[in-house]
Amino acid sequence: MKTNYIFEKIYVDGINLNLQAKNKNALLKEMFKGLENNENIINKEKAFEDLLEREVLGTTGIGRGVAIPHAKTDAVKDIIITVGVVKDGIEYEAVDEEKVNTLFMFLSPVELSREYLTILAKISRFCQSENFRKKLLECESKEELIDLIKSMEV
C-alpha cells in the first residue's frame, strides 16, 4: 500500500536550514535550487515556472511564520518535498502579514491530486502547532528535522 508520509517524500539533500535570500522570489529560487537534482524532476524550468504561477494565484504564506509553496505539474514524476528555514524571517505576503521563517516546498504530478491534497493538509495541520513550529526552527540538522516530522506522523 502506498503511504502519504511526508517524511518519505522529503528530498533530504534539498533541505536548507539556513536560507539566505532577502526577498520572496529569491527565496523561492534558492529553495528550488535544492530540489533541482532530484531524479523525480523531468523539466526543471517548467517545474519552477508552475511553482511561480501557483504563487500568482494567491500567496502560499499561510500565517504563523509558515509558507507552503507548492504546485501540481507534469514536470515531475512523483511528489517531492523540501523544507527551508529563514532564521530572521522574510517578507512573504503571508495572509497574516507576518514574516515567514519556515517553508515547505513541494511539487506533485497532476494525476496525484488526492495525495497532493493530503500532504498539503498534513503540513498545514502540523504547522498549527506552536510547539512543532518552535521545534522545527530549533533543528540543527537535516536528520533532526526528519525525525521531528516523523514523530508527527507515526
Side-chain angles (χ1 to χ4, degrees), residues 11 31 34 37 44 50 66 88 105 135 142 144 153:
Y11 181 54
M31 276 200 75
N37 296 322
K44 292 178 200 177
D50 289 344
V66 178
D88 297 326
M105 177 180 279
K135 283 183 176 174
K142 296 174 180 186
E144 204 178 325
E153 292 192 286

Side-chain angles (χ1 to χ4, degrees), residues 112-126:
L112 293 181
S113 281
R114 181 180 294 140
E115 293 88 343
Y116 170 86
L117 292 172
T118 300
I119 286 173
L120 190 57
K122 271 189 187 184
I123 293 170
S124 299
R125 191 170 60 248
F126 294 168

Side-chain angles (χ1 to χ4, degrees), residues 81-142:
I81 304 169
T82 192
V83 185
V85 173
V86 183
K87 299 286 185 204
D88 297 326
I90 193 166
E91 291 298 329
Y92 196 91
E93 302 159 13
V95 294
D96 62 359
E97 298 179 5
E98 297 292 320
K99 285 186 173 186
V100 162
N101 52 22
T102 304
L103 295 102
F104 286 83
M105 177 180 279
F106 79 98
L107 297 164
S108 170
V110 176
E111 65 274 9
L112 293 181
S113 281
R114 181 180 294 140
E115 293 88 343
Y116 170 86
L117 292 172
T118 300
I119 286 173
L120 190 57
K122 271 189 187 184
I123 293 170
S124 299
R125 191 170 60 248
F126 294 168
C127 292
Q128 296 297 314
S129 163
E130 187 176 337
N131 189 40
F132 174 76
R133 294 191 314 270
K134 183 176 173 286
K135 283 183 176 174
L136 196 143
L137 291 174
E138 292 169 355
C139 287
E140 292 180 13
S141 70
K142 296 174 180 186

